[in-house]
């Protein structure tokens, strides 16, 4: 008679995530493995600045999108934290994202430039005022009312 041994690997690792601000009111979380969620509880996610308005729940996906409000600058990098008591984000083996797991959202939002004082009529005043919400490089020049 022969003996055989079967080995079984059990996934006990909790999913982890990173965060990127892809728009003024959008944060995309990327998980290290596919996750799913059976609820749409915004309370499962908190921010250290701003508010979670809605969450696009994943279904066997590695990404989740959070819509925010109250974050007004393009350079903000809020910390996103998971609250296990309020959500159910699980991998295929049933492991939930760890309570209190967090990631600082990196800045992926393009800077904005807005005209503050437009030239309203054709006059000799050709000096409109502009404001921006992010440091601009020295490569940006305003010349003859055109951006170069």
């Amino acid at each position: 008679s022969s003996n055989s041994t079967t080995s079984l690997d059990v996934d006990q690792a909790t999913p982890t995530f990173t965060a990127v601000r892809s728009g003024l009111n959008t944060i995309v979380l990327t998980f290290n493995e596919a996750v799913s969620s059976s609820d749409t509880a915004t309370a499962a996610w908190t921010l250290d600045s701003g508010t979670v308005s809605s969450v696009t729940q994943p279904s066997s996906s590695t990404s989740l999108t959070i819509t925010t409000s109250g974050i007004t600058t393009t350079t903000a990098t809020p910390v996103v934290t998971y609250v296990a008591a309020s959500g159910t984000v699980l991998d295929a083996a049933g492991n939930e994202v760890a309570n209190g797991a967090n990631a600082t959202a990196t800045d992926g939002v393009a800077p904005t430039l807005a005209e503050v004082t437009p030239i309203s009529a054709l006059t000799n005043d050709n000096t409109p005022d502009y404001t921006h919400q992010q440091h601009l490089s020295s490569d940006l020049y305003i010349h003859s009312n055109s951006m170069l």
Side-chain angles (χ1 to χ4, degrees), residues 8-15 33 91 93-96 98:
L8 178 64
D9 291 328
V10 178
D11 177 1
Q12 296 179 343
T14 59
E33 61 183 313
D91 67 10
N95 300 309
E96 185 171 9

Side-chain angles (χ1 to χ4, degrees), residues 68-83:
T68 66
S69 62
I71 303 174
T72 57
T73 67
T74 59
T75 57
T77 55
V79 175
V80 181
T81 302
Y82 181 69
V83 182

Side-chain angles (χ1 to χ4, degrees), residues 28-54:
V28 176
L29 304 184
T30 301
F31 293 87
N32 65 325
E33 61 183 313
V35 295
S36 294
S37 181
S38 60
D39 60 46
T40 56
T42 58
W45 302 97
T46 63
L47 304 172
D48 69 340
S49 64
T51 304
V52 175
S53 301
S54 66

Side-chain angles (χ1 to χ4, degrees), residues 92-148:
N95 300 309
E96 185 171 9
V97 172
N99 185 47
N102 64 67
T104 300
T106 58
D107 178 11
V109 181
T112 60
L113 181 66
E115 188 173 29
V116 176
T117 309
I119 300 172
S120 58
L122 295 177
T123 66
N124 288 332
D125 179 7
N126 61 358
T127 57
D129 290 329
Y130 291 89
T131 186
H132 52 84
Q133 291 192 350
Q134 196 164 345
H135 175 73
L136 298 175
S137 75
S138 60
D139 296 337
L140 177 69
Y141 300 97
I142 308 294
H143 177 72
S144 300
N145 297 332
S146 300
M147 294 189 64
L148 301 176

